[in-house]
Amino acid sequence: MLYKLGWYGISSHWFKSYLEHRSQFVFVDDKNISDVTFTTLGVPQGSILGPSLFSLYINDLPLCIKNSLCILFADDNTLSISGPPDSIAVILNKLKEDMLNVIEWTINNRMELNVDKTNLMVVG
């Protein structure tokens, strides 16, 4: 995240202490508390800056898309591609190429693609 902030010309100075050296634990009740673990990824849950930082973090995702229109909305992404019905095989191959690029982007950016929420819809 700090690298990406710099990439956008935003000084990471203001965010460094906010994002580094954080710990987390789960509290259920006085008898059920998890061990404290340290995290180097993500932003504090429920934070005011969380949604904005997430948007900045994924803002470069469309750069890896070569064939489709990539629409980003909050934590949702849509790839859209169109063409004549007789070119469906070509269209699907282009979409597959873009999806492979998205998967590579998620790996490189230490994110996880939610396969259960990933759908393909063909409209004809």
Side-chain angles (χ1 to χ4, degrees):
M1 184 75 236
L2 295 174
Y3 169 77
K4 287 199 177 194
L5 287 170
W7 191 63
Y8 291 116
I10 300 169
S11 173
S12 63
H13 170 77
W14 299 105
F15 293 94
K16 194 168 184 164
S17 65
Y18 179 70
L19 295 172
E20 289 185 339
H21 309 296
R22 291 180 294 116
S23 60
Q24 63 185 27
F25 66 94
V26 177
F27 175 86
V28 178
D29 56 38
D30 290 337
K31 296 178 183 176
N32 295 300
I33 301 172
S34 70
D35 292 335
V36 174
T37 59
F38 291 91
T39 182
T40 58
L41 300 174
V43 296
Q45 186 176 2
S47 67
I48 298 293
L49 290 175
S52 296
L53 290 174
F54 181 78
S55 292
L56 282 172
Y57 195 77
I58 66 164
N59 198 45
D60 64 330
L61 173 62
L63 298 177
C64 77
I65 308 299
K66 305 296 181 213
N67 306 298
S68 308
L69 172 65
C70 182
I71 302 167
L72 304 176
F73 181 77
D75 63 348
D76 233 358
N77 310 310
T78 301
L79 296 183
S80 177
I81 189 168
S82 63
D86 60 343
S87 300
I88 191 72
V90 173
I91 294 168
L92 290 174
N93 280 333
K94 288 181 177 184
L95 187 58
K96 180 180 177 182
E97 178 187 339
D98 284 344
M99 281 303 302
L100 291 172
N101 289 339
V102 167
I103 291 167
E104 182 179 348
W105 183 93
T106 60
I107 291 168
N108 291 339
N109 287 274
R110 301 175 80 181
M111 295 193 71
E112 188 173 322
L113 182 65
N114 189 336
V115 178
D116 292 335
K117 291 185 176 181
T118 303
N119 296 297
L120 170 64
M121 181 171 57
V122 177
V123 179

